[in-house]
Amino acid sequence: MASNQDQQSPKFHRFDLIILGASGFTGKYVVKEALKFLNNPSSPLKSIAVAGRNATKLTQTLEWVARPNPPPSIPILTADTTDPSSLRALCVQTSLIINCVGPFRLYGEPVVAACADTGCNYLDICGEPEFMERMEAKYHNRAVETGSLVVSACGFDSIPAELGFMFNSRQWVSPAVPNRVEAFVSTGSEWSCVGNYGTYESAILGVANADKLQELRKSRPRRARPVIPGPPPSRGETIENKKEFGLWAVRLPSADSIVVRRTLSHLTENPYGIPGLNEHAEIVEKREAFWSSVKPAHFGVKLGSKSLLGIYRLIIVGICIGILGSIALGRWFLLKFPLIFSLGLFSKKGPSEEEVKNGSFNIWFVGHGFSNNIIATQKNTKPDMEIVTRIKGPEVGYRTTSIILIQCALIVLSQRNNLPKGGTYPPGIIFGPTDLQQRLQRNGISFDVISKTTISS
């Protein structure tokens, strides 16, 4: 019988990559992005297939991504998340599945289970903490056994938060240390660009299943927590005016902060990162040097708007989802009338192509800390240093998510030996020491240091 490592070799697979859910709102943009790298001389992507329940819709997707040119000759495979045998049939034909079928709480587990059982690698764009943590609890050990690398949150949720936190953290050159980093998220065209219904549905189901997430966490061993210099920061104001960014901001629940904390827990347990499947000495040295430069800090996310009215809009929508999402009848109304209850933020139709084309985002990472780690140990001390960094790029839900997801896929295909043998992980601990940041910079997502200043007491 062939070894698992042999089974993962491309020569045993018909396709390098299968995109599952390719006809969905996000899936078709993922296909479009993948085609940019198909059969490119410098790309490891030589063969792909699209998969889903409806072959006609998949054909329409290929027509859409190619227009005005003829559709590409890409195989169409039928598979359904309710049919485990169809998912296993996908897994044995490829070394990597990209899953775009959400909400993942409803449809994601059968795909993870099939990948974990067959040793197929798996990436998705999930932003649902309960799903991600449940998959880790149920399938991590099996994925380690088979060599299946399962990584969720490989889109705008939550790669920008992960890499942005690390980028800010690495600017704190010893003896300086960060205490907290706050991310202020601003999306362009905030009043005109309508969000994907799937994102809205996932948020509602997250509220409905909040008790299950707490039960899951209580049932699992307590994760290691990083030692962060200085006192815990105060929560601060609910609504904040960041004049230097031209933003009003409000703190709302975010999957990004949970994912970053999971990565920091892994880093606390593995201070030099997780060893790769078959790293050579140079890669080991690079990985250890990278993680040695990442300093832990408290992390939070605030959503921004250019106007105070926009902030009140976000708060009202958050309250509606928080209250109505916890009861069955309330969820029915929320899901039946998304445009009304989201105050125009989400629609079953999603954004237009023009809205996607013109969208953009900025995330400012504001780090507060100490110019010397000795200061952090003193009583009643306050941060005396601030470092501000920024990530900016195109529209978040489709363009940025597709760019990030495909670059993660290319890293898995080309650098598999440098990544952990298998298991379920947050994206930061996997892709942090790779060249993902440089790849994103080459594809329209920038990382900049804005300022380093001393805070007067």
Side-chain angles (χ1 to χ4, degrees):
M1 180 179 293
S3 70
N4 182 68
Q5 188 171 344
D6 287 338
Q7 290 172 350
Q8 288 190 330
S9 172
K11 67 182 180 181
F12 286 91
H13 294 120
R14 185 180 172 194
F15 307 109
D16 294 324
L17 170 67
I18 293 177
I19 301 171
L20 178 62
S23 61
F25 277 112
T26 306
K28 64 181 186 179
Y29 281 94
V30 173
V31 175
K32 189 173 186 178
E33 185 68 20
L35 290 179
K36 296 178 183 178
F37 301 92
L38 181 63
N39 290 321
N40 186 310
S42 61
S43 168
L45 190 58
K46 305 304 180 186
S47 58
I48 67 173
V50 295
R53 292 181 301 173
N54 190 313
T56 299
K57 289 185 177 180
L58 291 169
T59 299
Q60 293 170 349
T61 292
L62 295 180
E63 292 172 349
W64 178 84
V65 300
R67 66 185 187 192
N69 300 315
S73 299
I74 293 177
I76 293 173
L77 310 175
T78 55
D80 195 318
T81 58
T82 63
D83 180 5
S85 63
S86 71
L87 298 176
R88 291 180 69 90
L90 294 183
C91 291
V92 298
Q93 295 185 75
T94 186
S95 60
L96 174 62
I97 284 182
I98 283 180
N99 186 14
C100 300
V101 183
F104 292 88
R105 181 178 287 102
L106 300 180
Y107 308 114
E109 181 171 353
V111 189
V112 172
C115 288
D117 274 344
T118 59
C120 180
N121 299 305
Y122 170 99
L123 301 177
D124 71 31
I125 51 174
C126 176
E128 305 166 35
E130 190 266 340
F131 171 80
M132 290 185 276
E133 294 184 35
R134 181 159 49 87
M135 294 304 96
E136 181 181 38
K138 293 184 69 171
Y139 297 104
H140 177 77
N141 291 338
R142 178 59 175 160
V144 171
E145 290 175 6
T146 63
S148 168
L149 188 61
V150 176
V151 190
S152 285
C154 296
F156 189 75
D157 290 325
S158 294
I159 294 283
E162 292 257 69
L163 293 190
F165 171 84
M166 294 176 197
F167 182 68
N168 188 284
S169 169
R170 298 181 73 204
Q171 307 307 314
W172 295 80
V173 180
S174 183
V177 289
N179 172 260
R180 73 179 187 273
V181 176
E182 287 186 301
F184 293 84
V185 182
S186 172
T187 58
S189 307
E190 60 187 71
W191 287 97
S192 59
C193 189
V194 177
N196 180 4
Y197 175 79
T199 302
Y200 174 74
E201 185 181 11
S202 295
I204 293 168
L205 294 177
V207 171
N209 292 275
D211 56 336
K212 293 184 179 179
L213 177 57
Q214 296 307 315
E215 290 175 9
L216 174 63
R217 288 174 175 172
K218 290 178 181 178
S219 70
R220 303 194 67 200
R222 196 174 186 86
R223 295 296 299 265
R225 293 188 177 184
V227 177
I228 299 172
S234 62
R235 286 187 59 84
E237 300 174 346
T238 302
I239 298 176
E240 187 174 353
N241 187 4
K242 298 297 289 184
K243 295 180 181 179
E244 61 269 41
F245 308 146
L247 288 180
W248 290 86
V250 60
R251 187 186 303 276
L252 290 176
S254 166
D256 290 344
S257 57
I258 294 172
V259 171
V260 169
R261 286 197 293 269
R262 287 178 62 211
T263 287
L264 289 176
S265 290
H266 278 288
L267 186 58
T268 304
E269 296 163 352
N270 307 273
Y272 296 107
I274 301 172
L277 177 66
N278 189 22
E279 296 171 299
H280 56 75
E282 183 181 344
I283 296 298
V284 173
E285 184 178 349
K286 178 184 174 183
R287 168 174 55 80
E288 293 182 350
F290 176 85
W291 288 119
S292 295
S293 70
V294 175
K295 302 172 180 66
H298 301 281
F299 181 71
V301 177
K302 291 187 175 182
L303 297 182
S305 172
K306 294 181 176 63
S307 70
L308 190 56
L309 183 60
I311 289 297
Y312 288 140
R313 183 194 195 195
L314 291 171
I315 292 173
I316 291 170
V317 173
I319 291 173
C320 282
I321 293 176
I323 294 175
L324 297 178
S326 60
I327 54 178
L329 182 60
R331 289 194 294 275
W332 183 87
F333 277 108
L334 289 170
L335 296 171
K336 185 72 173 178
F337 307 104
L339 202 61
I340 295 173
F341 285 98
S342 72
L343 301 182
L345 285 172
F346 296 96
S347 164
K348 288 187 177 182
K349 293 182 179 179
S352 68
E353 291 181 38
E354 191 67 19
E355 288 171 341
V356 172
K357 179 181 178 181
N358 294 328
S360 63
F361 80 90
N362 285 275
I363 309 178
W364 286 271
F365 294 82
V366 181
H368 288 99
F370 305 92
S371 56
N372 192 304
N373 55 13
I374 296 176
I375 300 175
T377 64
Q378 299 173 359
K379 289 184 178 181
N380 301 320
T381 188
K382 293 183 179 180
D384 66 344
M385 189 173 174
E386 178 186 87
I387 296 179
V388 179
T389 55
R390 182 185 64 193
I391 300 179
K392 63 184 299 186
E395 184 276 333
V396 300
Y398 303 95
R399 293 183 65 199
T400 289
T401 286
S402 298
I403 290 168
I404 294 171
L405 184 59
I406 292 302
Q407 291 306 316
C408 288
L410 295 175
I411 288 173
V412 172
L413 292 174
S414 63
Q415 304 175 34
R416 186 63 185 89
N417 282 337
N418 298 335
L419 306 177
K421 175 190 174 185
T424 61
Y425 298 100
I429 198 69
I430 299 299
F431 296 111
T434 70
D435 61 343
L436 179 57
Q437 178 182 322
Q438 290 74 25
R439 287 169 172 266
L440 298 184
Q441 289 174 300
R442 292 195 296 267
N443 286 275
I445 299 173
S446 64
F447 292 69
D448 303 293
V449 177
I450 303 301
S451 63
K452 296 184 180 183
T453 57
T454 300
I455 302 173
S456 57
S457 56

